[in-house]
Amino acid sequence: MHLPPSPRTPGAIQLLRWIFTPMSYMDECASAYGDIYGLNIRPDYPSVLTSNPNALQTILTSDTKELSSPGELNGIFIPISGTQSLITASGKQHQRKRQLVMPALHGERMRAYANIINQVTDEVISTLQIGVSFSIRNVTQTITLKIIMQAVFGLYNSPRAIELERVLSYILESTSSPLSLAAGVFPILGKVLGKLNPARDFETLLQQADKIIYEEIQERRNNPDSERVDILSLLMSARDEDGQGMTNVELRDELMTLLTAGHETTATALAWAVYFIYKDETIKTKLLNELNSLGKNPDSNTIFKLPYLTAVCNETLRIYPVALTTFPRQVEKPISLCGYDLEPGTLVYGSIYDTHRRQDLYPNPEQFKPERFLERQYSAYEFLPFGGGARRCIGLAFAQFEMKLVLARILTSVQLELVTKTKVNAKRRGLVSAPDRPIYMSRLN
Ligand code: HEM
């Protein structure tokens, strides 16, 4: 049996490095072992990471006889998403749940979100005071949270929405440190940390969020309104083949998944985009020229299709992909990847971070260079910030639309300046990545 190479360090050390310094560890492993390597990134299964586009195509194409993408492997999301959301569902159930949610995040619906995206961005920008520095990630997180709340509930600025926004921010903050992830992987560590565990108030916060969500669901059941077009209304009117609607618990789990997966990720991507745009005058000027060429009040679809804005967003998601890997795919029948043998039970992760740093695809990968995306067409297995196949990010279209409209609004309505002049790197933030310290900006007009 010819297994993929892997570090010789003890498994526990590998796991700790994966939790605390994932990017530098992946850089080291990719340069030592190349396209595929074994790494002890979870204690329950042998795991392999690959950044080879052909191997990525094999593992991500879809659920096949050789590889599956069982939801049980995403158990780490259960504390927030519960057991009945699409993220932890498998096979037919998974497909069914995706089909229910998908229409709310695609096509015609996107146009309806344009107004709210612009409105929220304007409102949040208006709170920034001239000459007072602010952390851009805090600002983008406020924007994306308000937007996803509106898309999910259609409750703009109602007392219930404001309270839920507050509780959700605390929940996500409490799970953002690598320590809380470590405590999740090693429950004993959570006990040892006791009051120092950043996620210690998690249960109480979660109960508060659940109470608000269940109240809202009940109110809708009592007063159905067929005119409503938000995601909750859509899910409440959905019926499966037997004519059954979703239960309250199913609804709660799906909403919580969308609310959390749907704003932290986009907030980080937006913060990086603003950082790179304002760091380089040439990039900012090019973008402004492109946006200004559209005249006053351009249509959201026209903004969405702008080539340079698209290249800037893609380069942002390439250089610091918010998700470092895809969800795991599991080997069902013995297969060979990149000339190595993988046994049933092994987990294979698409290494998004390693793929986006490949010299052969992205020469000088440390450099932020949007032009790459204008000069070359990348395949879905060379550039994959949203993963691919059966579990490809369901919010892909929504996130890209939101990123472009928010950036366009910021660039054309205020003048900002980067206050943080030194280089900012990425670090782990809970299950994803984020800037390693606050990026400060200041408003000039
Ligand atoms: C820049 C923003 C985002 C990034 C980089 C991102 C990235 C990802 C990645 C890499 C996956 C795993 C895909 C795979 O294993 O193949 C994923 C799954 C998922 N994402 Fe996103 N995401 C973003 C925004 C969103 C938004 C806005 C939503 C919802 C509105 C969302 C909801 C989900 C859900 C529900 C899944 C699980 C899909 C499944 O299990 O079938 N994401 N995302």
Side-chain angles (χ1 to χ4, degrees):
M1 176 122 327
H2 190 39
L3 296 174
S6 65
R8 291 189 178 179
T9 27
I13 306 281
Q14 293 182 33
L15 186 54
L16 287 174
R17 286 207 59 192
W18 170 251
I19 290 173
F20 288 96
T21 54
M23 271 79 80
S24 61
Y25 201 25
M26 290 169 102
D27 283 334
E28 260 174 55
C29 290
S31 74
Y33 311 118
D35 285 10
I36 186 164
Y37 53 88
L39 204 62
N40 187 39
I41 64 175
R42 54 192 288 167
D44 46 0
Y45 292 91
S47 302
V48 165
L49 274 70
T50 183
S51 59
N52 176 291
N54 290 332
L56 286 166
Q57 179 157 19
T58 306
I59 67 161
L60 295 177
T61 294
S62 198
D63 278 1
T64 58
K65 279 193 191 110
E66 284 78 27
L67 288 145
S68 63
S69 54
E72 296 80 41
L73 297 175
N74 301 335
I76 193 126
F77 293 98
I78 289 178
I80 289 184
S81 293
T83 53
Q84 315 224 2
S85 90
L86 68 87
I87 226 162
T88 49
S90 304
K92 285 232 151 55
Q93 269 295 335
H94 175 236
Q95 273 171 23
R96 184 186 142 260
K97 284 176 185 282
R98 278 182 72 99
Q99 275 160 12
L100 284 178
V101 177
M102 198 76 93
L105 297 169
H106 282 83
E108 260 314 291
R109 291 292 312 134
M110 304 305 294
R111 222 183 290 273
Y113 299 132
N115 283 344
I116 194 73
I117 293 173
N118 288 335
Q119 191 183 337
V120 167
T121 310
D122 287 349
E123 186 190 301
V124 176
I125 288 177
S126 73
T127 64
L128 305 175
Q129 289 171 26
I130 294 172
V132 179
S133 38
F134 58 88
S135 151
I136 185 63
R137 202 183 171 287
N138 288 348
V139 169
T140 53
Q141 178 142 347
T142 307
I143 294 176
T144 56
L145 180 53
K146 281 184 182 296
I147 291 172
I148 193 72
M149 282 290 297
Q150 172 68 5
V152 167
F153 292 112
L155 285 176
Y156 195 57
N157 275 349
S158 73
R160 199 173 274 160
I162 291 170
E163 180 59 8
L164 187 53
E165 278 169 29
R166 191 186 66 80
V167 177
L168 280 175
S169 305
Y170 284 134
I171 290 179
L172 291 171
E173 202 48 50
S174 78
T175 55
S176 68
S177 102
L179 261 188
S180 56
L181 176 63
V185 177
F186 305 112
I188 184 81
L189 182 66
K191 289 206 178 101
V192 173
L193 284 172
K195 283 200 164 142
L196 293 177
N197 182 356
R200 68 189 182 284
D201 297 329
F202 183 76
E203 286 303 325
T204 320
L205 291 166
L206 210 57
Q207 281 164 14
Q208 290 172 11
D210 284 357
K211 182 168 173 286
I212 302 171
I213 295 178
Y214 283 126
E215 275 171 11
E216 185 62 29
I217 294 175
Q218 201 47 52
E219 206 169 290
R220 304 271 180 112
R221 291 219 190 272
N222 296 343
N223 308 294
D225 177 354
S226 58
E227 299 290 299
R228 297 193 77 125
V229 288
D230 48 72
I231 296 178
L232 174 56
S233 309
L234 215 128
L235 293 181
M236 286 183 80
S237 58
R239 295 286 174 272
D240 66 14
E241 291 148 5
D242 307 324
Q244 288 292 315
M246 291 169 81
T247 65
N248 285 3
V249 177
E250 278 180 296
L251 285 169
R252 178 263 172 223
D253 288 358
E254 221 62 276
L255 297 181
M256 203 62 175
T257 302
L258 295 176
L259 286 171
T260 50
H263 86 278
E264 263 239 298
T265 41
T266 320
T268 295
L270 270 169
W272 279 126
V274 171
Y275 169 71
F276 284 113
I277 292 167
Y278 286 84
K279 197 162 170 272
D280 188 328
E281 201 56 39
T282 324
I283 295 177
K284 191 179 84 183
T285 310
K286 267 191 176 178
L287 259 184
L288 269 172
N289 287 345
E290 189 179 58
L291 287 163
N292 289 335
S293 73
L294 299 179
K296 269 204 169 315
N297 299 325
D299 169 59
S300 57
N301 230 9
T302 315
I303 296 178
F304 184 74
K305 289 188 184 140
L306 286 174
Y308 196 65
L309 180 59
T310 304
V312 167
C313 291
N314 285 349
E315 180 65 348
T316 303
L317 292 166
R318 177 201 68 83
I319 197 164
Y320 289 135
V322 184
L324 298 174
T325 69
T326 64
F327 293 154
R329 273 42 175 190
Q330 187 162 40
V331 178
E332 297 290 337
K333 287 187 169 176
I335 54 158
S336 150
L337 275 187
C338 308
Y340 295 102
D341 301 316
L342 302 183
E343 291 189 72
T346 308
L347 303 190
V348 193
Y349 289 80
S351 177
I352 301 175
Y353 176 81
D354 286 333
T355 311
H356 289 186
R357 301 248 153 180
R358 287 179 70 103
Q359 290 276 358
D360 58 345
L361 297 175
Y362 305 100
N364 228 337
E366 282 289 341
Q367 192 193 350
F368 185 83
K369 191 177 162 220
E371 286 71 19
R372 301 176 198 278
F373 285 89
L374 300 173
E375 290 158 5
R376 180 176 168 168
Q377 193 85 20
Y378 291 97
S379 80
Y381 307 103
E382 294 171 339
F383 174 63
L384 65 160
F386 298 97
R391 283 199 185 268
R392 188 171 82 153
C393 177
I394 206 160
L396 171 152
F398 187 88
Q400 288 179 327
F401 190 70
E402 184 179 6
M403 273 182 84
K404 290 178 186 177
L405 292 200
V406 171
L407 286 175
R409 204 68 179 183
I410 292 178
L411 275 151
T412 53
S413 59
V414 272
Q415 279 189 1
L416 300 179
E417 179 186 54
L418 196 61
V419 175
T420 301
K421 300 285 183 205
T422 45
K423 187 172 187 304
V424 181
N425 295 304
K427 67 163 187 188
R428 179 183 286 290
R429 183 181 160 94
L431 294 173
V432 288
S433 72
D436 64 355
R437 60 208 157 92
I439 298 170
Y440 288 107
M441 313 272 307
S442 165
R443 182 175 169 175
L444 299 176
N445 69 342

